Amino acid sequence: MARVDLDGNPIRPLTICMIGAGGFIGSHLCEKLMSETPHKVLALDVYNDKIRHLLDPEDLPWNGRIQFHRINIKHDSRLEGLIKMSDLTINLAAICTPADYNTRPLDTIYSNFIDALPVVKYCSENNKRLIHFSTCEVYGKTIGCFLPKDSPLRQDPDYYVLKEDSSPCIFGPIEKQRWSYACAKQLIERLIYAEGAENGLEFTIVRPFNWIGPRMDFIPGIDGPSEGVPRVLACFSNALLRREQLKLVDGGQSQRTFVYIKDAIEAVLLMIENPTRANGHIFNVGNPNNEVTVRQLAEMMTEIYVKVSGEPALEVPTVDISSKEFYGEGYDDSDKRIPDMTIINKQLGWNPKTSLWDLLDSTLTYQHKTYAEAIKKTMTKAFASS
């Protein structure tokens, strides 16, 4: 039976140029496209570890529908040709690790704005559709965080729920370099929007709210850089795997929402296959039902990891640490990030399904297994060479 879009029209097979296909989101999106659609993917990235299972062996049912191109988009003349060959370009490439925003602000700005410019330009000049991945960080701080601590308005959703078409983007002062990422991401959004208005670029902008699941970045030295500080959930995972205390930055009072990667990928597939409903829109993709403080997240992850690993929790599982000590000078943060889901629900009929407990259980089970296998491999190698 032919696959149809939300309006009942047949979905024609597409060629998709996916930049950053080898990362966490890209690997799950490639899996979905290979297993459930007839679409072809030109997978661009510097590494392919997370999609290697899709590329080999040759007897896979989708053999020939995914091609890996080892490309750094900063300086590769092949990029425009690959975009020209495609019906749609999806740009996932970014530096998106909070610790880097302070310590590598130039790299952060270049990666998220300057390096994305050619992609937008080639799509616009060649009349190719673009799905660009931005971030929930473009919203910055909520209006509510500027109100007095005891103000009842802090509980009013109008002051903290983030809406694509009406919420202001409020950043900290220039010396707080933590906002370099959000600022670069907002500027590329504005450029894409302007290309749409002036030159007719067909675009969709995705604002992810903490997508979580297997293969997420990263366990330092195993599936990521040996140095560096990953995002909060990966930080907590690392501490649990190594039986270390979970560090609560500034007491862990910030509030966040988390959405399961497989739910989020369903939303992206709807955007890919329903261009008339998705074009010209910015979509929040998150799960407002999975809201917790960072402290509550640490407690929940500790409880789940005890179940997954069979190991008892540490006597004192958490420790408070200042943001200056953890991230360095120039750090700042947003208090709450709760997405409004009206637009994506109206345009694409999408709603997330997976509870916070279930997505953490799935993620920690995968990470515990991966870590155990990596340790075993290291010990085997050490034993063989001794």
Side-chain angles (χ1 to χ4, degrees):
M1 200 170 104
R3 298 174 71 252
V4 295
D5 66 16
L6 293 172
D7 298 306
N9 303 309
I11 296 168
R12 69 179 179 89
L14 303 169
T15 297
I16 299 168
C17 176
M18 192 185 303
I19 301 165
F24 164 54
I25 296 172
S27 70
H28 284 275
L29 184 52
C30 284
E31 259 181 4
K32 184 85 170 173
L33 291 166
M34 290 304 104
S35 61
E36 295 184 23
T37 80
H39 307 313
K40 182 178 176 181
V41 174
L42 307 178
L44 282 57
D45 212 318
V46 180
Y47 305 106
N48 66 5
D49 303 33
K50 295 185 186 201
I51 56 169
R52 200 170 286 149
H53 63 294
L54 302 174
L55 304 170
D56 308 314
E58 289 182 358
D59 60 354
L60 290 167
W62 52 78
N63 182 35
R65 283 202 295 115
I66 182 167
Q67 299 171 5
F68 179 69
H69 297 263
R70 197 176 297 279
I71 282 181
N72 184 332
I73 62 165
K74 283 182 187 180
H75 38 65
D76 201 301
S77 57
R78 292 174 291 170
L79 179 62
E80 184 174 12
L82 290 163
I83 288 173
K84 277 183 176 178
M85 287 166 59
S86 307
D87 303 295
L88 161 69
T89 294
I90 300 175
N91 190 5
L92 293 155
I95 285 181
C96 51
T97 308
D100 290 336
Y101 310 161
N102 272 7
T103 56
R104 297 170 57 202
L106 283 176
D107 281 347
T108 300
I109 292 164
Y110 271 79
S111 167
N112 293 292
F113 179 66
I114 305 294
D115 295 347
L117 287 175
V119 178
V120 180
K121 178 172 174 277
Y122 297 150
C123 287
S124 186
E125 289 176 352
N126 294 289
N127 297 313
K128 300 296 182 179
R129 187 175 165 224
L130 172 66
I131 296 179
H132 181 83
F133 273 68
S134 184
T135 171
C136 60
E137 297 218 7
V138 297
Y139 291 109
K141 302 186 177 204
T142 65
I143 300 170
C145 80
F146 294 96
L147 297 169
K149 288 262 192 281
D150 57 353
S151 170
L153 290 176
R154 276 179 170 257
Q155 305 310 312
D156 185 336
D158 283 345
Y159 290 86
Y160 65 82
V161 172
L162 302 169
K163 300 179 181 181
E164 302 97 323
D165 56 353
S166 61
S167 293
C169 301
I170 307 171
F171 301 152
I174 298 298
E175 66 182 31
K176 299 290 187 184
Q177 297 210 87
R178 185 253 187 280
W179 299 108
S180 58
Y181 173 67
C183 214
K185 282 291 199 182
Q186 189 202 132
L187 190 53
I188 199 72
E189 277 198 28
R190 290 192 181 277
L191 183 97
I192 291 166
Y193 200 90
E195 280 286 356
E198 288 193 31
N199 297 323
L201 172 67
E202 292 189 353
F203 72 86
T204 302
I205 291 169
V206 185
R207 290 180 180 166
F209 282 71
N210 298 307
W211 296 9
I212 302 302
R215 297 198 295 275
M216 65 175 284
D217 301 330
F218 55 79
I219 304 168
I222 291 175
D223 67 349
S226 299
E227 300 300 319
V229 182
R231 288 169 172 269
V232 62
L233 198 134
C235 276
F236 287 172
S237 299
N238 285 311
L240 290 166
L241 291 165
R242 293 181 160 91
R243 295 197 58 75
E244 297 168 357
Q245 288 179 306
L246 280 62
K247 293 176 179 175
L248 300 177
V249 176
D250 295 335
Q253 294 312 302
S254 292
Q255 289 167 282
R256 294 291 181 267
T257 60
F258 298 89
V259 66
Y260 192 43
I261 184 67
K262 292 189 186 304
D263 290 350
I265 293 300
E266 290 281 354
V268 179
L269 186 59
L270 286 166
M271 294 173 209
I272 291 169
E273 297 189 330
N274 293 273
T276 54
R277 287 171 174 252
N279 282 343
H281 284 286
I282 300 170
F283 291 118
N284 289 339
V285 181
N287 189 340
N289 299 318
N290 286 346
E291 184 198 358
V292 281
T293 66
V294 172
R295 182 177 287 278
Q296 288 169 331
L297 177 70
E299 290 165 356
M300 192 181 279
M301 287 181 70
T302 301
E303 186 181 345
I304 291 169
Y305 191 69
V306 167
K307 177 182 85 74
V308 166
S309 67
E311 299 169 2
L314 297 178
E315 203 169 314
V316 183
T318 63
V319 60
D320 288 3
I321 186 170
S322 73
S323 54
K324 184 179 175 182
E325 191 182 344
F326 192 74
Y327 288 114
E329 203 71 59
Y331 188 76
D332 200 5
D333 207 354
S334 50
D335 52 327
K336 279 167 93 87
R337 287 202 205 115
I338 317 298
D340 180 86
M341 306 304 292
T342 307
I343 294 177
I344 195 166
N345 190 255
K346 179 186 168 199
Q347 292 301 118
L348 302 175
W350 179 81
N351 277 304
K353 304 181 186 80
T354 310
S355 70
L356 184 58
W357 180 277
D358 288 345
L359 74 85
L360 290 174
D361 194 338
S362 167
T363 305
L364 285 168
T365 300
Y366 171 84
Q367 289 177 330
H368 177 66
K369 183 180 172 215
T370 306
Y371 188 68
E373 286 169 357
I375 295 297
K376 188 178 173 185
K377 206 178 286 182
T378 305
M379 289 174 73
T380 305
K381 207 179 280 181
F383 181 74
S385 62
S386 64

